[in-house]
Amino acid sequence: MTKTTDKEPRDAGLTDLDELSRNIAQLVEEAGKATAAYLRPLEENGPKVGKADEVSDVVKTMSQLAEKWMSNPQKAIEAQAKLTSNFLALWSASLKRLGGEASEPIVSAHPRDKRFLDPEWQDNPVFDFVKQAYLISTTWAEQIVEGAEGLDDHTRDKARFYVKQIGSALSPSNFLTTNPELLRETVRENGANLVRGMKMLAEDIKAGNGELKIRQSDPTRFKLGENIAITPGKVIFRNEMMELIQYAPATATVLRCPVLIVPPWINKYYILDINPDKSLIRWMVGQGLTVFCVSWVNPDASLASKSFEDYMREGLFAALDAIEQNTGEKRAAVIGYCIGGTMLSMALAYMAAQGIDRVVAATLLTAQVDFSRAGDLKVFIDEEQIAAVEEKMKPVGYLEGMHMSTTFNMLRPDDLIWPYYVNVYLKGQAPYPFDLLHWNSDPTRMAAATHSFYLRRCYLNNDLARGNMSIDGIKLDLGKVTLPVYSLATREDHIAPARSVHLGARLFGGPVRLVIAGSGHVAGVVNPPHKNKYQFWTSDAPLGRTLEEWLAGAKETPGSWWPDWHRWLEALAPERVPARDPDHGRLKPLCDAPGTYVQVVS
């Protein structure tokens, strides 16, 4: 009998029993490695702190949901009867199909639901029954959450979230025996796909130190400074909090006003220099700007006590000082992305109160200052959950970067978790080398004091928007910030929702240009003009309107917001000077971009 290889699988239906036996043995061996990878940290360090709290919150939330329904027995009976009725209708329709009769589906998957695209989900009565039973159950569960009377908003949001996670996890598309595509693939390859998948599963549990660090991209295909983060530049300053990169000019003259980018420290800065084709930094340099970018340290236990104020003083203020030393310019245009924009806004309020004039104009990219409508992440924010996170950080002084990556993935489980689980660990397919997902899998740790401050003072208490935040006894009032602000939101953002950004933009005391871009938190920002993707909306209408009213009167422009931002900045500070080379500044370059801090892997 001719043997087949992984690259040349046998035809479907022709099972090689010898090869199947070998693959089963290898599967058991790889499963043992995966188990060992999971158990090793438990044996060495004991159970991880916080797991019981996470499970406890799920149980508590679902118990509160059930309690509201049980308090109205008649309504609970009606809900149960509706579920039973739908299943009886499905059973009847399925029996007709098995008997050769045509039958309309009781429920259909959304046309954009990629989980059930295989024809057998519709054509095969058994798989169609499994699919419809799942859809009936999850739809009913969602209705139970929405129909619970007397449930407070936060508990309802948590219940929605947990029901979504449970429903996504239990999809029949995630299991070998209930997914027709997986069954065909397994028969075709005599189980070799499962062996490859289990091998990658073991590797990813090991990489996650006992937790699954789900593989979304091929990590071997990207290297900093070689095919990502390759815009030429020099690290001109370094302290224990950050490295400051100055990029080499690409034009003979540049705007006199330098531009400083303050990225989030939750992720690494190179999302803005992901590759030459999509690099915002490279594009800015090409427009004749002197661009500086902060590259934050990946904190360890020694930086556990570093605060939000430290990020401001040793990050933003230190960078402005270094820029002044190297260019002679005391003032710069500053861009803050995500949490970097939150910190920048705090710094602007502090400088306004102190009469400090260091910023010409501020740009906030998907950055929140009013957290009252902060979206899906609010699900994780209450006293008990924050206390659990703080307990988790206490032994090591930081929060593991993978924790935040997993949290962001959970906001879109049907896009960012389960497709990769199925394709990688069940189909045995190495993921496509996608640069944005590689960056997403390269997180940074969060210093304990800073992260606790962010969760409590911003998300939980919303102190900045309420005027209850101070630095050095100086109350921070965004209304005193009168310099021009360019505030960008994205319509599909799950992290900094457009409604939240709009609310925050109304708090500033000066002129604010609000721009709403298409797509989400990353793709809506990293959207180069030559791609001609998405669109953005602008309006001269007052921000005091609701976001919906503002959008109704806004002008839609196809393509990227980048040129609109550049025109805005150039109109504010049009003076030009000869290009500045970081090799010839007053500060001696320390190394080439992308620097050393960004190389540290969590």
Side-chain angles (χ1 to χ4, degrees), residues 163-442:
V163 164
K164 180 180 179 181
Q165 300 306 313
I166 294 168
S168 294
L170 294 179
S171 171
S173 59
N174 298 337
F175 301 93
L176 175 62
T177 56
T178 53
N179 185 326
E181 188 178 3
L182 287 175
L183 283 171
R184 287 199 309 271
E185 187 73 14
T186 303
V187 171
R188 189 175 71 90
E189 294 201 45
N190 294 302
N193 56 308
L194 300 179
V195 176
R196 295 193 305 271
M198 187 62 72
K199 183 176 185 296
M200 288 188 282
L201 180 69
E203 293 170 351
D204 293 349
I205 292 175
K206 183 178 180 181
N209 192 31
E211 296 185 23
L212 178 59
K213 184 178 182 180
I214 196 162
R215 188 178 306 207
Q216 296 175 317
S217 183
D218 183 351
T220 65
R221 299 289 294 273
F222 299 102
K223 189 168 183 181
L224 287 163
E226 291 188 8
N227 58 359
I228 51 176
I230 63 171
T231 300
K234 302 288 184 180
V235 173
I236 62 162
F237 176 81
R238 179 188 297 128
N239 60 25
E240 65 176 350
M241 294 298 291
M242 61 92 176
E243 292 180 327
L244 183 65
I245 302 168
Q246 179 180 350
Y247 289 93
T251 55
T253 63
V254 294
L255 288 184
R256 177 175 179 174
C257 178
V259 175
L260 169 64
I261 299 174
V262 182
W265 52 83
I266 290 175
N267 299 100
K268 295 181 178 177
Y269 87 89
Y270 68 85
I271 187 60
L272 300 176
D273 189 27
I274 194 70
N275 67 41
D277 194 46
K278 294 184 287 193
S279 171
L280 175 58
I281 289 172
R282 189 182 190 93
W283 182 86
M284 287 180 175
V285 170
Q287 304 310 301
L289 300 174
T290 305
V291 180
F292 296 81
C293 185
V294 169
S295 175
W296 297 108
V297 70
N298 198 344
D300 56 20
S302 68
L303 300 177
S305 62
K306 287 295 182 180
S307 66
F308 232 78
E309 183 179 338
D310 291 323
Y311 274 87
M312 181 184 77
R313 295 191 184 282
E314 299 178 47
L316 172 60
F317 289 174
L320 289 172
D321 289 342
I323 290 170
E324 182 180 1
Q325 283 184 269
N326 230 33
T327 67
E329 297 296 326
K330 187 177 181 65
R331 303 166 76 229
V334 185
I335 299 171
Y337 187 6
C338 189
I339 192 175
T342 304
M343 185 269 286
L344 169 60
S345 299
M346 291 169 52
L348 293 175
Y350 177 79
M351 287 188 282
Q354 296 287 83
I356 300 171
D357 184 17
R358 302 295 304 274
V359 178
V360 173
T363 299
L364 305 177
L365 304 181
T366 61
Q368 299 178 94
V369 294
D370 185 328
F371 288 78
S372 59
R373 304 295 291 273
D376 293 344
L377 285 176
K378 292 274 282 187
V379 167
F380 301 98
I381 306 300
D382 54 42
E383 180 58 42
E384 292 181 0
Q385 292 188 90
I386 293 176
V389 171
E390 290 172 335
E391 190 66 23
K392 181 182 292 188
M393 293 189 292
K394 189 181 298 183
V396 291
Y398 53 81
L399 186 68
E400 288 285 0
M402 197 176 80
H403 180 91
M404 289 302 296
S405 292
T406 301
T407 298
F408 292 144
N409 288 340
M410 289 172 70
L411 299 180
R412 294 167 54 201
D414 292 337
D415 296 322
L416 296 176
I417 296 179
W418 295 109
Y420 295 98
Y421 172 84
V422 171
N423 290 329
V424 176
Y425 306 126
L426 295 179
K427 290 184 181 179
Q429 299 174 352
Y432 181 79
F434 187 22
D435 47 19
L436 292 181
L437 289 176
H438 171 76
W439 165 83
N440 189 56
S441 299
D442 183 22

